[in-house]
Amino acid sequence: MLFVRQTLSNVNNSTPVFTTPKTKSSLAWVGLSDRVAAALQNQAGRQPNRALVFTRRGGQPLRPEYVLHRLHKLTEQAGLPRIRVHDLRHFAATTMLSSQVPLAMASKTLRHSTLSTTTEIYGHLLRHVALDAVKAIETALKEAEVA
């Protein structure tokens, strides 16, 4: 588990400053898989500035444009389309919902303030939920006929 206490924001697009998260719900625990936790611990062990996991060589925070440039370089090398860093969030949401992670859990993982926010953005991915609901009703009716 990881507890989010601060975010790194850029003032005037140039000066990195630690701030409190944007919403109260963002100030919370985030579940990490064993694989992600091990990768973060490994990366943290390489950093001179223990407050940050990903830094420049001197321990200063990474600049957002560097992260984007590096992402573009890696996707190009992998033969993948060019994406934004935020697109990784959409990928995570899409993967969770298409893998039938419950909507409420996906919403909490994404740190949406309401379930309706998640539904509005990703509702088109929930066809399987509608189908499951219809099948559950059909099963209940069949069981009621037999009883």
Side-chain angles (χ1 to χ4, degrees), residues 65-79:
E65 60 273 12
Y66 169 80
V67 174
L68 182 61
H69 174 72
R70 183 75 174 133
L71 176 64
H72 288 166
K73 186 175 181 179
L74 291 171
T75 55
E76 183 181 326
Q77 288 172 351

Side-chain angles (χ1 to χ4, degrees), residues 65-108:
E65 60 273 12
Y66 169 80
V67 174
L68 182 61
H69 174 72
R70 183 75 174 133
L71 176 64
H72 288 166
K73 186 175 181 179
L74 291 171
T75 55
E76 183 181 326
Q77 288 172 351
L80 297 171
R82 181 175 278 225
I83 61 172
R84 303 168 301 153
V85 174
H86 192 78
D87 293 331
L88 296 172
R89 178 179 171 83
H90 292 304
F91 172 75
T94 301
T95 302
M96 282 189 283
L97 294 173
S98 64
S99 299
Q100 300 189 16
V101 169
L103 180 63
M105 183 53 59
S107 184
K108 287 194 177 301

Side-chain angles (χ1 to χ4, degrees), residues 8-19 61-65:
L8 187 62
S9 302
N10 275 323
V11 177
N12 297 327
N13 269 344
S14 63
T15 308
V17 176
F18 284 104
T19 61
L62 293 175
R63 297 186 51 80
E65 60 273 12

Side-chain angles (χ1 to χ4, degrees), residues 6 8 18 43-56 59-62:
Q6 296 179 314
L8 187 62
F18 284 104
Q43 179 64 24
R46 297 184 207 164
Q47 299 304 314
N49 179 350
R50 301 293 286 178
L52 298 172
V53 177
F54 299 97
T55 65
R56 292 186 281 181
Q60 303 89 358
L62 293 175

